[in-house]
Amino acid sequence: MKRIIFTLLYSKGNFFLSRNFRLQEVGNIEWLFSNYKFQELSENIDELIILNLDKSKKIDKNFIKTVSKIIKNCFIPITIGGNINSLQDATIYMESGADKILINSLLFKNPAECMKISKKYGSQCIVAGIDYIIEKKKFYILNNHGKFKIQFSKYIDKIIKIGCGEILLQSVSNDGCGYGLDLSILKYLKNHKVPNILMGGIGNSKHIL
């Protein structure tokens, strides 16, 4: 099933645009609601992802409140991510209205905890976020702990075994540039059956098609 997914980037009370992972603040929740009517928007997209980019190690209560306001009249699947370091953190998001959660650094830090989350909520609720760059035909994953050169197919196998039911691939090089998605990454996924999401680079409807 093909899906169009809208993503919001949040940090410390405000929302941001991103270009090559450099953030530009655009406004708070009042700005968001004045520019996006989510009840109408939800009729034209299939899912909504809301990511907290703050580097705090704790779940932000203000972020939870903000999410609640956004999804109040939004009747589509909601994925929430950011600062998930434990099953307890995942539970907070799920009980706050998330249909799915997105994990990133936890895949590296504590795969066993990812498995606990998957066991409780099911793999269909777990989205693995992979931020990547390709340099000189070599594949690297970026997260809070640095840049890692990996063999992509084996890493995807590992993620699936951990219990992730979807994979979100975010191209750092294409992020926010509007030149189109990195379709070359799809060749690495042809032997994997889990749903995948491409992110980074959409500038017009032709890129989606």
Side-chain angles (χ1 to χ4, degrees), residues 103-119 122-123 126 128 154-165:
I103 56 177
N104 187 310
S105 296
L106 194 64
L107 295 168
F108 284 84
K109 290 192 302 183
N110 196 340
E113 196 69 13
C114 296
M115 295 178 76
K116 289 181 184 178
I117 297 170
S118 181
K119 185 175 181 180
S123 61
I126 315 300
K154 288 186 177 180
Y155 185 65
I156 297 298
D157 288 337
K158 178 181 177 181
I159 285 175
I160 295 171
K161 288 178 181 178
I162 287 173
C164 299

Side-chain angles (χ1 to χ4, degrees), residues 3-126:
R3 296 167 293 162
I4 297 175
I5 302 173
F6 190 83
T7 303
L8 293 172
L9 306 178
Y10 171 98
S11 180
K12 297 179 180 177
N14 290 299
F15 293 88
F16 291 78
L17 295 175
S18 175
R19 184 181 178 94
N20 304 128
F21 280 39
R22 294 190 296 273
L23 298 177
Q24 176 185 346
E25 183 180 314
V26 290
N28 59 16
I29 191 159
E30 284 77 20
W31 174 91
L32 190 72
F33 284 137
S34 67
N35 286 275
Y36 297 98
K37 294 179 173 60
F38 282 92
Q39 192 166 4
E40 296 177 12
L41 180 64
S42 64
E43 296 175 1
N44 298 287
I45 59 175
D46 299 297
E47 295 183 24
L48 176 64
I49 295 175
I50 310 173
L51 300 179
N52 186 0
L53 303 181
D54 186 22
K55 302 301 182 184
S56 172
K57 294 182 179 180
K58 296 182 179 180
I59 296 293
D60 183 350
K61 293 181 179 179
N62 289 325
F63 174 60
I64 297 296
K65 292 178 182 177
T66 299
V67 168
S68 297
K69 291 178 182 178
I70 293 171
I71 68 177
K72 184 177 181 180
N73 295 308
C74 192
F75 303 105
I76 54 175
I78 307 295
T79 299
I80 305 177
N83 302 327
I84 298 176
N85 295 297
S86 66
L87 172 58
Q88 182 179 4
D89 293 338
T91 299
I92 291 172
Y93 281 167
M94 295 299 288
E95 293 180 351
S96 299
D99 298 287
K100 294 183 280 188
I101 59 164
L102 187 145
I103 56 177
N104 187 310
S105 296
L106 194 64
L107 295 168
F108 284 84
K109 290 192 302 183
N110 196 340
E113 196 69 13
C114 296
M115 295 178 76
K116 289 181 184 178
I117 297 170
S118 181
K119 185 175 181 180
K120 179 171 181 177
Y121 292 107
S123 61
Q124 77 283 352
C125 292
I126 315 300

Side-chain angles (χ1 to χ4, degrees), residues 121-200:
Y121 292 107
S123 61
Q124 77 283 352
C125 292
I126 315 300
V127 181
I130 300 176
D131 304 323
Y132 74 92
I133 57 174
I134 298 174
E135 297 177 346
K136 298 180 180 179
K137 298 183 179 181
K138 295 179 180 179
F139 191 98
Y140 297 87
I141 285 182
L142 279 68
N143 69 11
N144 293 339
H145 302 280
K147 183 174 78 171
F148 299 89
K149 178 184 174 184
I150 63 163
Q151 189 170 345
F152 184 76
S153 293
K154 288 186 177 180
Y155 185 65
I156 297 298
D157 288 337
K158 178 181 177 181
I159 285 175
I160 295 171
K161 288 178 181 178
I162 287 173
C164 299
E166 291 187 2
I167 297 169
L168 186 151
L169 292 158
Q170 164 94 334
S171 169
V172 178
S173 301
N174 289 37
D175 174 50
C177 295
Y179 302 142
L181 294 161
D182 174 25
L183 301 180
S184 69
I185 197 68
L186 292 175
K187 65 184 178 183
Y188 295 102
L189 294 166
K190 60 184 179 181
N191 295 322
H192 301 284
K193 303 301 182 183
V194 297
N196 53 79
I197 304 164
L198 295 188
M199 184 174 173

